[in-house]
Amino acid sequence: MSTSFGRGVMTITAMFFVLCCAGQVAAFELPEQWTGDDVELSKGRVGDFQGGTMRYEVRTKYATLTSSDAHVMLVWNDKWAKETVHQVLFEEERYARGDQYTFNLIGKLASVEVIYPCPEDRNDRQTICTELWEWQKNTRRFTLKKKTSTNPVKEKIEAIETYLEKGQVKKAKAALDKLEKDTKKEDLDRDKLFEMFWAQTLDRALKQGSKNPEKGVKILKEFLSDPPLRGSSRCPDKELITVCLEEGALECGCSNAFGQVSGFEGRWPKRYHKLAKMLGKAKGADDLVHVLLVPALDRVPQDSEIMLVVADMYWNKDMKFKAKPLYKKVRKIRLEDKTYIPNHVFERFK
């Protein structure tokens, strides 16, 4: 009897515990690594959720010179389960710090957007990643549905490139003007943009100049007299081909304004080879040879066509001491290649 009574008491006690404590859960505890003085905390409101308020907590701490360890969490009250939910979305090394994260609650989708910068390289200040975390009714938690990235500046530069490929130079310049107004100077790769415009100009000049060299020269002079933009550096990089845009040498070389071709590969050597041929046939093109081909000479030391046109320019400008060594190199290269050597090369290099 006493045993039955005791069992009854235990059963009643257990039932009371279940009724009394239903819905109670253990308090959420942060891992020790996210509680130190080296942790930067950023928190705020996401939006109204399940009759209450959803909040976010972002904890970051130094990882490397360009990244942070991040602990990103959502907090809300689940009325059905009668508990405060702490869901860690991710805990990993990322570029963004706490105050760079943005959260949007999308009511129709019952989802949360997490937005943060995710640069593709050290100079990228524009690429933004967006993660869509979708609510799951069964688990009553959020799961990552998709991740996308956008770079508004990159997309606008690609649009300019498309205009140039289609020969729509006016539209390209208008798009460039708008891009420069809407973008911080340090966020714009002016060297890449210059290279795009210069490539289009060269291709157009070479096409016109193949039949009439003077027409090609005119296109080049129009560009150089009023370039859509200039390089971003104060002085030219000696490892790159420079396009001089004004007269008046500075202590660092070239001119008061210039642009550069960042990587002299692909179509560039062929472009400059054709440019040399065109300028060699054009009348009164010595000044263009000086500002366009001389800076390119070191980057294509075996192109005897460029070398020959530059040598002729120096000879015409009565700078024979610079012309003769080039004529000698032209003779040597073309004798080895068994290609045509103009008679004046033999006469002048001696």
Side-chain angles (χ1 to χ4, degrees), residues 53-67:
T53 300
M54 175 185 286
R55 306 188 69 80
Y56 69 84
E57 294 182 8
V58 179
R59 290 172 172 81
T60 56
K61 59 182 179 179
Y62 174 86
T64 69
L65 290 174
T66 58
S67 67

Side-chain angles (χ1 to χ4, degrees), residues 85-324:
V85 181
H86 297 74
Q87 181 181 348
V88 178
L89 300 184
F90 52 82
E91 185 179 60
E92 59 191 27
E93 184 177 329
R94 294 197 172 184
Y95 168 85
R97 296 195 62 80
D99 58 357
Q100 293 178 308
Y101 286 88
T102 302
F103 297 81
N104 294 326
L105 185 62
I106 306 175
K108 292 181 180 180
L109 300 177
S111 301
V112 174
E113 278 185 338
V114 184
I115 305 168
Y116 53 89
C118 53
E120 297 177 356
D121 54 56
R122 292 178 62 183
N123 298 320
D124 181 5
R125 297 182 179 86
Q126 296 296 323
T127 302
I128 299 295
C129 282
T130 301
E131 295 183 9
L132 181 66
W133 290 79
E134 191 174 80
W135 175 252
Q136 304 298 313
K137 291 182 179 179
N138 294 334
T139 60
R140 302 188 67 75
R141 294 293 185 273
F142 292 91
T143 59
L144 181 60
K145 185 69 174 178
K146 66 178 180 179
K147 179 179 177 179
T148 58
S149 64
T150 59
N151 187 324
V153 172
K154 184 178 180 181
E155 291 168 3
K156 291 175 183 176
I157 289 176
E158 289 174 350
I160 292 172
E161 190 170 18
T162 300
Y163 284 136
L164 290 173
E165 288 172 353
K166 293 180 179 180
Q168 299 173 335
V169 181
K170 288 184 178 180
K171 287 186 177 180
K173 288 182 177 180
L176 173 64
D177 291 341
K178 189 175 188 310
L179 178 61
E180 287 190 303
K181 290 178 182 178
D182 298 342
T183 309
K184 293 181 180 178
K185 185 177 180 180
E186 62 271 18
D187 293 340
L188 199 59
D189 190 344
R190 297 178 62 82
D191 295 323
K192 180 180 179 180
L193 284 163
F194 175 86
E195 188 171 328
M196 285 164 46
F197 276 90
W198 179 233
Q200 194 276 343
T201 300
L202 265 186
D203 290 344
R204 189 158 49 95
L206 293 173
K207 185 177 180 180
Q208 293 288 328
S210 61
K211 296 181 180 179
N212 187 333
E214 278 67 35
K215 284 186 177 181
V217 166
K218 183 180 179 182
I219 291 172
L220 294 174
K221 286 185 175 181
E222 286 176 353
F223 178 91
L224 296 176
S225 64
D226 186 24
L229 74 168
R230 294 161 169 76
S232 57
S233 303
R234 179 178 177 273
C235 292
D237 184 338
K238 293 181 179 180
E239 297 298 318
L240 307 178
I241 285 186
T242 302
V243 182
C244 298
L245 302 174
E246 293 178 3
E247 295 181 357
L250 295 177
E251 72 279 2
C252 58
C254 193
S255 63
N256 292 315
F258 63 90
Q260 293 194 290
V261 177
S262 61
F264 200 67
E265 52 195 18
R267 296 175 62 188
W268 285 107
K270 192 173 182 179
R271 281 188 178 114
Y272 270 75
H273 181 84
K274 288 182 177 181
L275 175 63
K277 280 193 169 185
M278 186 188 79
L279 294 180
K281 295 176 183 178
K283 296 179 181 179
D286 284 342
D287 288 341
L288 279 181
V289 172
H290 191 265
V291 298
L292 296 180
L293 294 185
V294 171
L297 200 55
D298 290 339
R299 299 292 291 151
V300 281
Q302 295 304 309
D303 193 317
S304 62
E305 190 67 38
I306 295 177
M307 199 177 298
L308 175 61
V309 175
V310 171
D312 288 344
M313 178 271 296
Y314 282 138
W315 190 272
N316 295 338
K317 287 179 174 288
D318 199 25
M319 301 173 72
K320 296 180 176 59
F321 67 98
K322 287 189 175 184
K324 287 183 178 183

